[in-house]
Amino acid sequence: MKRFGVSMEEELLTAFDQLLEKKGYNNRSEAIRDLIRRWLVEDRWEKGKGKVGILVIVYDHRKRELSTRILKQSHHHHHLIVSTLHIHLDKNNCLEVNVLRGRPSELRRLSEALIATRGVKYGRLVPAPSGEEP
Ligand code: NI
């Protein structure tokens, strides 16, 4: 491990320390490492090097043809979808967690298509580490 000093305004450091406590970190170093790792994952994605993403969508299965349309899209892109977790949130709403693997541009395109499908109430693609990051 290498050590380095960080200069920061007192106000910013206080806010950081309060956030660490809230998030359950025991020390600043671990929090800074996590922040850097997250930044690296996002940077890899921007460069088109990321390979894994998590897509969350929420939709009302009663909407006409919606489940069928989502299923059709998913099968069409079966090579990008590693796994899907379907949760029946309540009587009407379904939450789906899709683990995607592929080129970021492909994952974005698939996610945008699913999120833009009429009746999908919520959708978010989260870049995830592929394991190749430091
Ligand atoms: Ni469901």
Side-chain angles (χ1 to χ4, degrees):
M1 283 273 187
K2 292 224 174 189
R3 294 177 64 91
F4 66 98
V6 179
S7 309
M8 202 181 286
E9 293 87 350
E10 202 180 330
E11 209 180 323
L12 187 61
L13 186 60
T14 306
F16 186 53
D17 284 341
Q18 285 169 351
L19 203 58
L20 296 193
E21 208 187 314
K22 210 168 91 181
K23 288 180 180 286
Y25 282 98
N26 291 321
N27 64 74
R28 291 171 182 156
S29 294
E30 183 57 22
I32 289 169
R33 283 193 290 270
D34 281 359
L35 283 172
I36 292 172
R37 284 192 201 103
R38 194 196 301 176
W39 215 13
L40 285 171
V41 171
E42 285 168 8
D43 182 56
R44 283 178 64 85
W45 265 70
E46 277 162 28
K47 287 182 189 150
K49 286 184 188 160
K51 286 186 190 129
V52 181
I54 315 294
L55 170 67
V56 179
I57 53 171
V58 172
Y59 61 92
D60 185 336
H61 72 86
R62 294 172 308 167
K63 292 267 186 257
R64 233 184 98 177
E65 300 278 303
L66 184 53
S67 303
T68 315
R69 264 184 284 152
I70 288 171
L71 212 58
K72 232 182 195 174
Q73 277 269 23
S74 302
H75 276 274
H76 191 68
H77 296 94
H78 64 89
H79 57 290
L80 299 176
I81 303 173
V82 180
S83 182
T84 302
L85 175 68
H86 184 109
I87 294 133
H88 311 303
L89 283 179
D90 54 31
K91 221 167 154 233
N92 310 320
N93 295 296
C94 303
L95 178 134
E96 256 177 31
V97 182
N98 292 280
V99 180
L100 311 178
R101 201 206 295 259
R103 284 208 311 273
S105 55
E106 293 178 305
L107 304 190
R108 274 210 187 91
R109 209 174 314 126
L110 167 62
S111 300
E112 281 161 8
L114 284 170
I115 293 166
T117 304
R118 193 139 66 103
V120 174
K121 294 175 175 178
Y122 174 90
R124 188 150 182 224
L125 174 65
V126 181
S130 65
E132 293 162 7
E133 299 80 4

